[in-house]
Amino acid sequence: ESKDLQEIINQVDKKLISQLKPLVSNSHLWEAFSSYIDSLVEQQQKALEQTDNSIMMYRSQGAIGTLRRLKLIRNIVNE
C-alpha cells in the first residue's frame, strides 16, 4: 500500500520536475532566477545578523537553507 503511494508521489514529482526544464535549460532565465535567489539569501542573512529574537533566527536559517536548495533544482532536473 505504501509502495503504491510512493510510486504515485514519484510520478507527480517527475511531472513537476519536467515542467522546470525550460527554466534550467535557458541560461538567461536561470541566471535571473539564480540572482533573485541570491538576493533573497542576502536579505535573510542581514535579518539573521540583526535580530536578537531566537525564533526569527531559526526562521531566517530555515529560509536560507530552503533558498539554497532551490538553486540545486538545475541538478535535479538534469538528472
Side-chain angles (χ1 to χ4, degrees):
E1 188 173 306
S2 67
K3 204 170 201 176
D4 294 334
L5 178 60
Q6 188 60 42
E7 183 63 32
I8 291 169
I9 292 170
N10 287 340
Q11 288 174 352
V12 170
D13 285 349
K14 286 178 185 177
K15 183 178 179 182
L16 291 172
I17 288 170
S18 70
Q19 292 175 344
L20 295 171
K21 277 220 181 266
L23 171 66
V24 302
S25 61
N26 180 316
S27 61
H28 180 70
L29 284 176
W30 178 254
E31 287 302 318
F33 177 76
S34 185
S35 294
Y36 178 65
I37 296 298
D38 289 341
S39 172
L40 293 175
V41 168
E42 286 178 26
Q43 289 175 15
Q44 288 298 325
Q45 287 173 331
K46 287 177 185 173
L48 183 61
E49 291 169 0
Q50 295 173 359
T51 189
D52 59 356
N53 181 322
S54 61
I55 292 172
M56 292 305 295
M57 287 186 345
Y58 297 138
R59 286 182 183 169
S60 290
Q61 289 172 337
I64 290 168
T66 301
L67 291 165
R68 287 185 175 153
R69 281 191 295 279
L70 278 174
K71 290 188 74 171
L72 299 176
I73 286 175
R74 189 177 220 178
N75 298 336
I76 294 168
V77 171
N78 289 329
E79 284 182 348

